Amino acid sequence: MGLRQRGVARDTSLEEPLLAPSQSDVDSDALPTSSIGHENSERAIVPRSINKYDWEQLWRALIQGCVQSCASVWNTVVTCLSSVLPLRVAHCPVELTQTQTERLEQLSDQASVQFELSNEEHQALLRQLWSHAFPGEPSQLQSDRWKDMGWQGNNPATDFRGGGLMSLQNLLFLASHQPALFEALMHKTKGQRAQDAPLEDGGRGGEYPFAAAGVNCSHMLIEMLGLRDTSRISSLPAAKGFLELLKHDSNAFDEVYCLTFEKLDELWLQSGTDSGFKWGYFDFNSIKSRLQQQLNRQLSLKPRSIAELRALLNMGL
């Protein structure tokens, strides 16, 4: 015991186990007398052996530190490169120019907004649509006149659903930029139209409702082009083709919408001819699906203008 007292003073705090006392710590006090000097010299340098659990914690800390360091370096590299490389919309795995990024972000924001009748700005847009559809008539947010435009009830707010506010904005773009097409589609002035024969007499439900069809077109395009989830764009050929149009035209989506609605009506009339004019509203979804297939195919060819897309669709329809 005298040798222990003459040994180098030890910091006993270093001998406190990290988890629990180890068997080696317990047994160390029972070492043979012949090994006491050797024991003291070693303990003066290494207070105690590190047990299995200590090593595991040390390795975890080391690995965690390495991962954090690598992540920090990677974030720095990405930040530096983002200033010189093509930009990306949040989580959009397709390289975009500055112009494409800004325009796609704006469209994505628009597509995420739902129509709210309590919103005064949304009400104002709805009144604008009324003025295009029923010029000279005092606008009303609830009226049976909305049914004449092709809404299901006297309050169109209940019909936007999947199309959201964007579908109302699309209809307004159509009315203000292509008023002749707006009138022709709303009043069904082109071609021979479906008859309103009763279903029990073999009818198919008559004409498709204009406004509801417009909302359907908006929803179809929003989904096709991945506007509500830009991370899907790389897996959507039509979306990647649309980005080419967006590069050259800030109104590309509205223009594609107008063309889509126009081609929907053309395909509707063609279906009437093919069926011997025995078709109607209940055929609408199948006709829309055929149009969607055409749009997917032609947009995937990456047309550089609406005129080029129109030419491709004319060849396919």
Side-chain angles (χ1 to χ4, degrees), residues 19 29 35 37 61 93 130 145 161 170 180 200 206 211 213 226 238 276 308 315:
L19 296 176
D29 292 331
S35 63
W130 174 287
R145 286 289 274 153
R161 289 191 291 276
N170 293 152
E200 57 268 22
E308 187 175 337
M315 292 171 58

Side-chain angles (χ1 to χ4, degrees), residues 69-82:
S69 298
C70 291
S72 178
V73 171
W74 175 250
N75 289 335
T76 302
V77 172
V78 171
T79 300
C80 294
L81 292 178
S82 64

Side-chain angles (χ1 to χ4, degrees), residues 226-239:
L227 296 186
R228 287 180 178 151
D229 182 4
T230 55
S231 65
R232 298 173 53 231
I233 286 181
S234 63
S235 63
L236 301 173

Side-chain angles (χ1 to χ4, degrees), residues 137-261:
E137 298 184 31
S139 63
Q140 301 179 56
L141 295 178
Q142 293 191 25
S143 169
D144 285 340
R145 286 289 274 153
W146 288 114
K147 296 179 183 179
D148 297 334
M149 188 181 174
W151 301 100
Q152 296 184 60
N154 61 5
N155 180 5
T158 61
D159 289 352
F160 288 110
R161 289 191 291 276
L165 181 64
M166 199 173 201
S167 59
L168 173 56
Q169 294 168 326
N170 293 152
L171 283 169
L172 280 171
F173 184 91
L174 174 62
S176 58
H177 288 77
Q178 298 191 39
L181 179 60
F182 179 86
E183 288 289 324
L185 292 173
M186 177 177 169
H187 297 293
K188 307 291 194 301
T189 58
K190 291 184 178 180
Q192 183 172 342
R193 314 305 304 194
Q195 300 299 313
D196 293 323
L199 297 181
E200 57 268 22
D201 293 339
R204 298 287 294 166
E207 279 291 322
Y208 66 83
F210 165 71
V215 173
N216 270 266
C217 287
S218 295
H219 180 259
M220 178 179 71
L221 290 173
I222 288 170
E223 293 300 313
M224 279 178 55
L225 305 180
L227 296 186
R228 287 180 178 151
D229 182 4
T230 55
S231 65
R232 298 173 53 231
I233 286 181
S234 63
S235 63
L236 301 173
K240 291 190 286 187
F242 172 73
L243 291 175
E244 187 66 27
L245 291 175
L246 199 60
K247 183 193 300 183
H248 304 286
D249 187 353
S250 60
N251 293 322
F253 185 83
D254 290 299
E255 296 287 357
V256 170
Y257 168 83
C258 293
L259 180 58
T260 297
F261 209 160

